[in-house]
């Protein structure tokens, strides 16, 4: 189902209210800037002016397909620019040169809705910044890669940032926080609300309903799906589905045979510091909480360091219509600043999710 124009990054659960809540004081926002290029752009960027972008280039053995796969294998990131493409389904065809297999978005935290076949909306309000994160790190079955397809853009604004996780991991492991995350792991706490409980009232503080996240109307089936993803479950008042997932903060990446950071503050209450309808709530009442694996909380200094480590290695993607980015979920985290559209402006990204894998965590000695 297609949403109104320019609305694809609007949370489907939130209602639209005139009331505006200012964020809590002393929030921590990434700088969204860098002093020098983290990676040379020619290591991941392909200018499609050199290609016709016709059916011949869509062939799996085409020169473009082979170049995309070489680039992705070497870097973990491939960005197609100047594609002249306007249609999301056409963009999806080129993304599949790298993303051979796709997964359904089930048990996810964001209430994503499909735009086209296996192409989803971003599931977050444009006016909120999104901290760097690895997709679906909070469940036992994650995705190896994801793709972004630019359907509508505001050039010069509305960037997505990807952070080089190899450099971020190395930097974090030079700190006490890195050792603490390695030794204790983390716990992801989520509160999934019951849609029916909000049928006749404003959805203040709602992030995602379990009916949407688990794609079922049956509480027993929702619980079974959550448990199949490695989540511990508990039912609270008003059929609130509370889940916990204890996991390593790192994930072994087979291609490079090393453990990489696979966790961020995106699963902490600070994720909502700029979200309408949620940012006014104290952290203990927000839908997500992240603790260490012994259930102890992060200090504010630890949260700042966690944010800074990713921020140091961010690479901006300044979208133009038709741009396609395929991102390795191990080698890069992704996020973006808040976006405020002017009258008549639209920004619309489609999201594809790649092959699913079961979380393994740390492999001893692979640092």
């Amino acid at each position: 189902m297609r949403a109104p124009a320019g609305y694809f990054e609007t949370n489907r659960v939130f209602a639209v209210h005139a009331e505006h809540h200012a964020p809590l004081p002393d929030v921590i926002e990434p700088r969204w800037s860098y002093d020098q290029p983290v990676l040379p752009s020619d290591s991941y960027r392909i200018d499609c002016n050199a290609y016709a972008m016709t059916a011949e280039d869509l062939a799996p053995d085409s020169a473009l397909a082979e170049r995309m796969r070489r680039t992705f294998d070497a870097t973990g990131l491939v960005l197609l620019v100047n594609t002249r493409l306007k249609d999301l389904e056409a963009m999806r065809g080129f993304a599949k040169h790298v993303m051979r297999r796709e997964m359904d978005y089930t048990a996810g935290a964001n209430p994503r809705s499909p735009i086209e076949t296996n192409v989803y909306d971003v599931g977050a309000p444009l006016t909120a910044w999104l901290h760097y994160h690895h997709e679906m790190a909070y469940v036992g079955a994650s995705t190896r890669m994801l793709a972004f397809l630019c359907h509508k853009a505001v050039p010069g604004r509305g960037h997505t940032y990807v952070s080089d996780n190899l450099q971020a991991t190395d930097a974090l492991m030079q700190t006490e926080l890195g050792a603490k995350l390695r030794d204790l792991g983390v716990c992801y706490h989520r509160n999934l609300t019951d849609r029916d409980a909000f049928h006749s009232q404003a959805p203040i503080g709602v992030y995602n309903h379990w009916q949407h996240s688990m794609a079922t109307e049956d509480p027993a089936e929702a619980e079974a799906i959550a448990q199949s993803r490695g989540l511990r479950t508990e039912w609270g008042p008003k059929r609130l589905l509370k889940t916990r997932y204890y996991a390593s903060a790192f994930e072994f990446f087979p291609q490079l045979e090393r453990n990489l950071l696979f966790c961020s503050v995106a699963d902490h209450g600070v994720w909502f510091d700029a979200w309408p309808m949620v940012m006014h709530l104290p952290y203990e009442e927000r839908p997500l909480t992240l603790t260490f694996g012994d259930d102890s909380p992060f200090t504010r200094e630890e949260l700042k360091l966690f944010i800074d480590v990713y921020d140091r290695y961010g690479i901006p993607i300044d979208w133009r219509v038709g741009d396609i980015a395929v991102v390795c979920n191990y080698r890069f985290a992704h996020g973006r600043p808040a976006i405020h559209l002017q009258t008549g402006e639209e920004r619309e990204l489609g999201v594809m999710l790649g092959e699913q894998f079961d979380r393994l965590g740390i492999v001893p000695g692979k640092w």
Side-chain angles (χ1 to χ4, degrees):
M1 181 176 66
R2 189 173 289 276
Y7 223 65
F8 283 87
E9 278 203 73
T10 300
N11 192 313
R12 293 287 193 289
V13 175
F14 292 145
V16 178
H17 291 258
E19 182 181 8
H20 174 73
H21 293 288
L24 295 176
D26 196 27
V27 299
I28 310 169
E29 181 181 1
R31 294 177 299 124
W32 308 114
S33 63
Y34 62 102
D35 299 325
Q36 57 187 8
V38 174
L39 295 173
S41 61
D42 61 5
S43 69
Y44 61 85
R45 186 177 181 273
I46 298 176
D47 188 340
C48 293
N49 276 325
Y51 302 93
M53 304 303 285
T54 59
E56 181 178 340
D57 294 305
L58 274 173
D61 59 350
S62 69
L64 176 58
E66 292 178 358
R67 184 178 176 189
M68 287 178 65
R69 288 192 288 269
R70 285 197 309 271
T71 301
F72 185 84
D73 289 345
T75 309
L77 172 65
V78 59
L79 172 64
L80 300 187
V81 299
N82 297 320
T83 68
R84 288 99 62 201
L85 300 175
K86 307 291 185 183
D87 180 72
L88 282 169
E89 186 60 29
M91 297 178 212
R92 175 173 174 256
F94 284 95
K96 289 183 70 175
H97 282 327
V98 176
M99 188 179 290
R100 306 287 186 86
R101 284 178 279 186
E102 300 169 73
M103 67 175 286
D104 292 327
Y105 187 72
T106 305
N110 276 17
R112 301 187 191 275
S113 295
I115 303 172
E116 302 284 356
T117 304
N118 283 351
V119 178
Y120 298 88
D121 64 7
V122 176
L126 280 171
T127 54
W129 64 75
L130 305 183
H131 283 284
Y132 286 106
H133 60 286
H134 299 275
E135 199 69 22
M136 299 185 76
Y138 46 78
V139 287
S142 187
T143 181
R144 297 188 185 279
M145 66 184 74
L146 62 161
F148 297 99
L149 318 175
C150 184
H151 194 228
K152 297 177 183 178
V154 281
R157 296 186 293 116
H159 297 62
T160 293
Y161 281 72
V162 294
S163 177
D164 182 353
N165 196 34
L166 274 64
Q167 297 188 65
T169 299
D170 289 340
L172 184 70
M173 295 311 296
Q174 301 300 313
T175 70
E176 292 183 4
L177 175 59
K180 194 172 178 181
L181 286 167
R182 178 196 63 206
D183 296 341
L184 296 179
V186 291
C187 182
Y188 300 91
H189 307 254
R190 281 200 293 160
N191 291 331
L192 294 170
T193 47
D194 174 46
R195 184 194 58 227
D196 296 339
F198 288 85
H199 179 68
S200 59
Q201 64 185 79
I204 301 297
V206 174
Y207 182 46
N208 200 4
H209 299 313
W210 58 258
Q211 289 96 332
H212 199 149
S213 179
M214 305 301 171
T216 181
E217 300 294 320
D218 182 351
E221 185 177 4
E223 189 170 13
I225 291 171
Q227 291 172 356
S228 74
R229 297 295 195 270
L231 305 176
R232 300 185 188 183
T233 59
E234 176 185 350
W235 289 98
K238 297 183 179 180
R239 295 206 305 179
L240 181 74
L241 180 56
K242 303 167 71 174
T243 70
R244 285 178 296 159
Y245 175 53
Y246 290 90
S248 172
F250 299 84
E251 188 64 28
F252 178 69
F253 181 39
Q255 182 181 337
L256 296 182
E257 295 190 354
R258 61 169 294 189
N259 302 310
L260 294 176
L261 184 59
F262 205 72
C263 178
S264 74
V265 303
D267 299 288
H268 187 276
V270 299
W271 176 252
F272 298 103
D273 278 343
W275 283 59
M277 323 271 279
V278 183
M279 58 191 177
H280 66 291
L281 297 174
Y283 286 132
E284 61 270 17
E285 295 181 21
R286 297 184 181 186
L288 296 179
T289 303
L290 180 73
T291 64
F292 289 103
D294 62 357
D295 294 325
S296 61
F298 285 80
T299 66
R300 190 158 189 82
E301 291 70 26
E302 289 169 333
L303 292 173
K304 287 181 178 179
L305 176 58
F306 215 169
I307 292 168
D308 178 65
V309 162
Y310 280 115
D311 206 22
R312 292 180 211 168
Y313 305 106
I315 301 168
I317 299 175
D318 185 7
W319 296 109
R320 302 296 193 274
V321 172
D323 287 356
I324 301 165
V326 186
V327 184
C328 175
N329 201 30
Y330 294 94
R331 295 184 63 167
F332 289 89
H334 62 281
R336 64 153 171 79
I339 301 167
H340 300 279
L341 298 178
Q342 304 300 318
T343 301
E345 291 182 331
E346 296 176 288
R347 180 188 185 274
E348 182 179 303
L349 297 183
V351 180
M352 297 169 60
L353 300 175
E355 179 185 8
Q356 180 176 296
F357 75 94
D358 293 329
R359 290 286 310 273
L360 179 62
I362 290 172
V363 172
K366 296 296 185 178
W367 297 97

